[in-house]
Amino acid sequence: MSERIIIHVASSALAVDKGIRLSALLPQLKLEAKPVLAEVDGRVVGLDVALDKDAEVILLYPESEAALDVLRHSASHLMAHAVLDLFPGTQVGVGPAVENGFYYDFLRETPFTTEDLAAIEAKMAEIAGRDLPIERRVMPKAEAVRRFREMGQTLKVELIEEKAGEEATVYGQGAFMDFCRGPHLASTGLVKHFKLLSVSGAYWKGDERNQQLQRIYGTAFFSTEALDAYLKLLEEARKRDHRKLGPELDLFSFSDDVGSGLTLWHPKGARIRAAIEQHWRERHWAGGYDILFTPHIGRARLWQVSGHLGFYKDSMYAPMEIDGQEYYLKPMNCPFHIQVYKSRMRSYRDLPLRWAELGTVYRYERSGVLHGLLRVRGFTQDDAHIICTPDQIEDEILRVLDFSVSILADFGFTDNKIELSVRDPKNPDKYCGDDGLWCRAEASLVKALETRGYRYERMEGEAVFYGPKIDIKIKDALGRLWQCTTIQFDFNMSERFDMAYIGEDGKEHRPYMVHRALLGSLERFFGVLVEHYNGAFPLWLAPVQAVVLPIADRHDAYALGLVDRLRAAGLRAEADLSREKVGYKIRGAETGKIPLILVVGDKEVRDGTASLRIHGLGDKGPVEIAAFLDKAQALIRQRSLTVIW
RNA sequence: GCCAGCGUAGCUCAGCAGGUAGAGCGGCUGAUUUGUAAUCAGCGGGUCAGGGGUUCGAAUCCCUUCGCUGGCUCCA
């Protein structure tokens, strides 16, 4: 008689034979929906798992995050299977599920083309259609090595030798076999809705000294609807791409002759940037900051002391020689702010100091990483340094956190993801600054986050060597996260430059220095804003806030007078005097995403009014000019994100 | 930097078995004096990214430089 075990599953407790497969139990549970996977004692496994002891089983349905990951992992196997079928002799690398999809790396002489992708997709559909069972097997390491070697999969052999213990787990479907920890879906037929997206290069084991493999990216979902929704999101992102909208709306451009990664701000883009900067300055002054201006270049000695020439030189532009001295373009602002600090003796009574600068820095970025405004070589950081005593640190951290969150909210970003990066307890030697400093610094960050009740993710070991930090990522209109704010302790610079203040005791003490970038880089933030707003900037930022459209040329004088009046009231306004029909002018204003459109004809001239049209909302009828100005000014003052009349 | 793809008028693109460039939109000019998303007509506009090569002949084939795109890598 076989041994019995107790399985708790779907609110039943079943006594079953030891070794039974979970899938064999499912029929008697009379489930309404079909699970795809299960969690057995906290481990995600396929439904074919053999149950050999008492266990808590949670069935996983297609909606769960874990199930989606497994689906995509199985989809990557399906793709590798298809590739090996179509292109014998190809070697496979690794193929995990990643955010939004999956990839698999292949080693093959000939590059994959887009036509190949279509063929691979068709092959995948065919294999999925055969509904092959996906079977997990455990075999001795030596056997796995032998079998993969026989198949000519030397990359896999390398992986098995590195990663497998005594035994290797492999998953097989039909003729395809892969060394893989799993889990996987029960059969290929469950992978129904997928799409291959792109091919790119990727180094074997992520090391650029290794050979480069071809990586195919794809995505998969449990339903057509979910797949279509995701593809639509990609399409929407393409439409909003700031690299497309920016030149289209005449906001900025790049020029080969100037150089890549160097932004040219056109008048309209510059108006938006100026509006952002103006607001930024006002908020900083109101928030207890002082504003600095520092040079773009500095002597080599400065960068030696700061340590940049030691560990950051590869990212700096080559030095220029001036009067026999080497000068470098600045990649960071901190050394300059520290020089301001050191320009005189500082007392504890002077602290805290909060110094901010819109500091333009230049960093050499490898050509392949440049990306529109999001990754450039010259950019303006909205930098600040807070220098304070140990007693002040908690208040200062709370203050800078509140300040940052509040300014992000001014642009409509209220759904943020916050990350706290702290030391790696297993690796204490790679950090500078003593233990007491770190403890106090980390505690102040935690305290600030908890005082405000913010949800945050604690990233163990993610702190940089010079101090712990809080990063804030904003979520845009398409749900994408962008890191903007970083609040970092810096125990390195303060030591290197021997920063000090005189305490109450008359002795020298080392201050805390906190480095903060809020919007991050203005270029990058601007790029994100273009995509977030889809080019339709809210009234307070719009480069042209109102356009006046005369219907016939006898209304031109009235239109120009109106523009003067709007400008006198502080609005960025223009008139369109072209000899076109009003429908054409309206079209131009709408595609130009101008928030307020004022149409003036005989009626309006007679009544001293204008006919208002709001971008995207259409005709709102006649308005009194004074009332219009009041309303528009109020919307601008409130930095309203929408125009509701 | 690496792998792959791409670079034709301001923009979107056609032309590519090699035979000295074309459309739409935008622009300009003229006519139209116009009421809430495209009035009509005419005109201009390109060293086919730059350089080199093959060829009688190159936008088209080859090499190379630059730039862009998707990734890798990097972002103490």
Side-chain angles (χ1 to χ4, degrees):
Chain A
M1 191 181 142
S2 61
E3 200 180 328
R4 304 287 275 182
I5 54 174
I6 307 292
I7 302 299
H8 291 267
V9 58
S11 62
S12 326
L14 306 174
V16 297
D17 288 343
K18 181 176 170 173
I20 191 171
R21 285 187 190 275
L22 176 58
S23 47
L25 294 182
L26 295 180
Q28 54 183 295
L29 291 171
K30 306 212 180 337
L31 300 167
E32 284 179 18
K34 225 175 134 182
V36 286
L37 294 163
E39 226 180 282
V40 174
D41 293 330
R43 232 168 52 89
V44 177
V45 295
L47 293 176
D48 62 339
V49 64
L51 301 166
D52 46 17
K53 60 179 169 48
D54 294 356
E56 292 283 342
V57 175
I58 300 167
L59 297 172
L60 296 179
Y61 296 89
E63 301 77 42
S64 75
E65 199 62 30
L68 200 53
D69 271 0
V70 172
L71 167 71
R72 288 167 175 172
H73 192 179
S74 294
S76 91
H77 277 213
L78 181 63
M79 177 170 77
H81 189 167
V83 166
L84 292 183
D85 267 18
L86 290 171
F87 308 101
T90 301
Q91 285 201 48
V92 297
V94 294
V98 291
E99 205 188 342
N100 297 324
F102 62 88
Y103 68 78
Y104 216 115
D105 288 345
F106 300 100
L107 178 60
R108 175 174 177 248
E109 280 292 307
T110 331
F112 289 111
T113 64
T114 17
E115 294 77 62
D116 291 340
L117 289 195
I120 294 166
E121 242 175 50
K123 191 65 164 176
M124 287 169 71
E126 183 203 317
I127 298 170
R130 300 212 299 265
D131 199 17
L132 302 168
I134 301 175
E135 286 163 324
R136 179 174 186 272
R137 283 192 55 197
V138 178
M139 58 181 72
K141 181 175 183 174
E143 185 189 340
V145 166
R146 184 177 53 76
R147 295 183 64 151
F148 281 94
R149 186 167 286 141
E150 277 167 11
M151 292 187 284
Q153 294 294 349
T154 55
L155 294 177
K156 278 289 170 195
V157 170
E158 198 178 323
L159 279 184
I160 296 167
E161 281 176 337
E162 268 172 37
K163 306 218 167 185
E166 294 287 292
E167 295 186 316
T169 311
V170 302
Y171 279 82
Q173 54 195 48
F176 177 78
M177 190 169 88
D178 200 355
F179 168 61
C180 176
R181 192 183 301 163
H184 280 278
L185 301 178
S187 75
T188 60
L190 296 168
V191 187
K192 288 195 175 80
H193 314 283
F194 53 85
K195 173 97 187 146
L196 301 188
L197 298 170
S198 63
V199 189
S200 62
Y203 298 102
W204 173 233
K205 293 182 194 160
D207 188 332
E208 60 185 311
R209 287 165 304 193
N210 288 340
Q211 61 193 316
Q212 197 155 31
L213 311 177
Q214 297 186 63
R215 173 170 298 178
I216 302 180
Y217 279 91
T219 192
F221 290 89
F222 281 107
S223 71
T224 325
E225 294 73 33
L227 175 62
D228 287 349
Y230 179 69
L231 295 177
K232 231 173 124 184
L233 184 79
L234 290 185
E235 179 58 30
E236 179 62 23
R238 262 192 292 277
K239 276 195 231 152
R240 290 174 175 242
D241 195 322
H242 74 283
R243 293 166 302 182
K244 178 171 170 287
L245 288 178
E248 228 168 77
L249 297 171
D250 202 13
L251 303 178
F252 65 86
S253 66
F254 294 95
S255 153
D256 284 11
D257 291 331
V258 174
S260 54
L262 301 169
T263 313
L264 298 168
W265 292 79
H266 295 198
K268 284 182 182 163
R271 286 185 189 179
I272 300 169
R273 173 165 168 171
I276 294 171
E277 290 186 354
Q278 192 180 334
H279 179 60
W280 185 94
R281 287 197 189 92
E282 282 166 9
R283 291 278 335 241
H284 275 73
W285 273 315
Y289 285 77
D290 272 306
I291 289 176
L292 308 184
F293 293 99
T294 67
H296 289 73
I297 61 174
R299 291 174 63 177
R301 202 169 57 192
L302 182 71
W303 306 108
Q304 265 149 18
V305 174
S306 73
H308 285 88
L309 286 180
F311 53 73
Y312 202 74
K313 194 166 187 202
D314 288 349
S315 298
M316 291 170 71
Y317 279 95
M320 56 198 109
E321 201 189 289
I322 298 165
D323 292 343
Q325 296 288 331
E326 280 191 342
Y327 283 74
Y328 284 86
L329 264 172
K330 69 173 168 185
M332 293 186 191
N333 299 302
C334 2
F336 296 87
H337 289 201
I338 292 170
Q339 295 310 306
V340 176
Y341 182 83
K342 288 172 68 86
S343 67
R344 46 164 290 191
M345 185 74 94
R346 301 290 174 178
S347 145
Y348 71 96
R349 294 176 195 277
D350 298 328
L351 304 182
L353 291 166
R354 305 183 199 100
W355 288 342
E357 176 178 14
L358 292 166
T360 302
V361 297
Y362 291 86
R363 297 179 185 177
Y364 171 72
E365 300 279 5
R366 300 214 269 179
S367 61
V369 307
L370 299 174
H371 183 92
L373 290 175
L374 301 182
R375 196 69 183 270
V376 288
R377 284 178 171 160
F379 59 96
T380 302
Q381 262 191 327
D382 68 324
D383 223 343
H385 294 93
I386 296 157
I387 302 166
C388 67
T389 69
D391 290 346
Q392 295 164 335
I393 193 66
E394 276 188 11
D395 285 350
E396 286 304 310
I397 292 294
L398 188 60
R399 187 185 181 113
V400 68
L401 184 65
D402 284 344
F403 186 70
S404 302
V405 166
S406 159
I407 289 186
L408 293 175
D410 290 342
F411 294 91
F413 298 110
T414 47
D415 190 5
N416 305 320
K417 179 167 187 283
I418 302 180
E419 292 174 356
L420 168 70
S421 296
V422 296
R423 275 183 298 183
D424 180 356
K426 292 189 292 271
N427 213 345
D429 296 340
K430 70 173 207 185
Y431 301 99
C432 76
D434 70 57
D435 198 55
L437 281 175
W438 274 86
C439 289
R440 194 154 185 175
E442 291 187 1
S444 69
L445 293 176
V446 170
K447 177 143 189 225
L449 290 169
E450 297 197 335
T451 302
R452 287 295 174 257
Y454 290 133
R455 285 182 46 203
Y456 65 94
E457 193 177 344
R458 188 181 169 93
M459 315 284 279
E460 219 71 53
E462 285 300 303
V464 281
F465 78 88
Y466 52 82
K469 63 171 179 171
I470 289 174
D471 291 330
I472 305 177
K473 294 178 175 175
I474 57 176
K475 191 184 270 186
D476 75 7
L478 296 185
R480 298 172 299 183
L481 291 172
W482 304 96
Q483 178 173 338
C484 292
T485 306
T486 185
I487 299 167
Q488 317 189 329
F489 277 87
D490 193 332
F491 303 133
N492 186 42
M493 289 290 158
S494 51
E495 277 172 37
R496 285 175 171 272
F497 283 100
D498 193 26
M499 293 169 74
Y501 67 92
I502 306 299
E504 283 174 85
D505 57 4
K507 292 186 183 132
E508 285 199 351
H509 299 270
R510 179 88 70 224
Y512 272 101
M513 182 164 90
V514 175
H515 177 102
R516 179 230 70 179
L518 206 169
L519 306 177
S521 127
L522 287 185
E523 281 74 5
R524 182 180 145 88
F525 187 72
F526 182 74
V528 172
L529 281 187
V530 170
E531 302 197 3
H532 177 63
Y533 297 134
N534 196 13
F537 283 84
L539 194 60
W540 74 285
L541 292 171
V544 179
Q545 294 168 316
V547 64
V548 181
L549 310 181
I551 283 172
D553 54 10
R554 61 179 176 279
H555 312 120
D556 283 2
Y558 182 76
L560 289 172
L562 184 50
V563 167
D564 283 346
R565 199 168 157 193
L566 298 183
R567 286 186 178 164
L571 263 68
R572 295 184 285 271
E574 290 176 358
D576 179 354
L577 303 185
S578 63
R579 297 279 53 90
E580 299 287 351
K581 291 165 80 167
V582 73
Y584 184 87
K585 295 186 188 184
I586 284 171
R587 187 182 142 79
E590 289 285 352
T591 55
K593 303 182 195 262
I594 297 170
L596 302 171
I597 299 165
L598 296 167
V599 177
V600 295
D602 289 337
K603 239 179 337 177
E604 290 75 17
V605 172
R606 188 190 64 218
D607 301 343
T609 59
S611 175
L612 174 66
R613 183 187 169 99
I614 296 172
H615 172 66
L617 299 178
D619 193 358
K620 293 287 161 187
V623 290
E624 298 291 334
I625 305 304
F628 169 80
L629 284 175
D630 282 350
K631 181 80 186 184
Q633 285 172 322
L635 288 168
I636 291 168
R637 213 170 30 246
Q638 297 152 9
R639 291 179 302 279
S640 172
L641 296 172
T642 50
V643 179
I644 298 162
W645 215 264

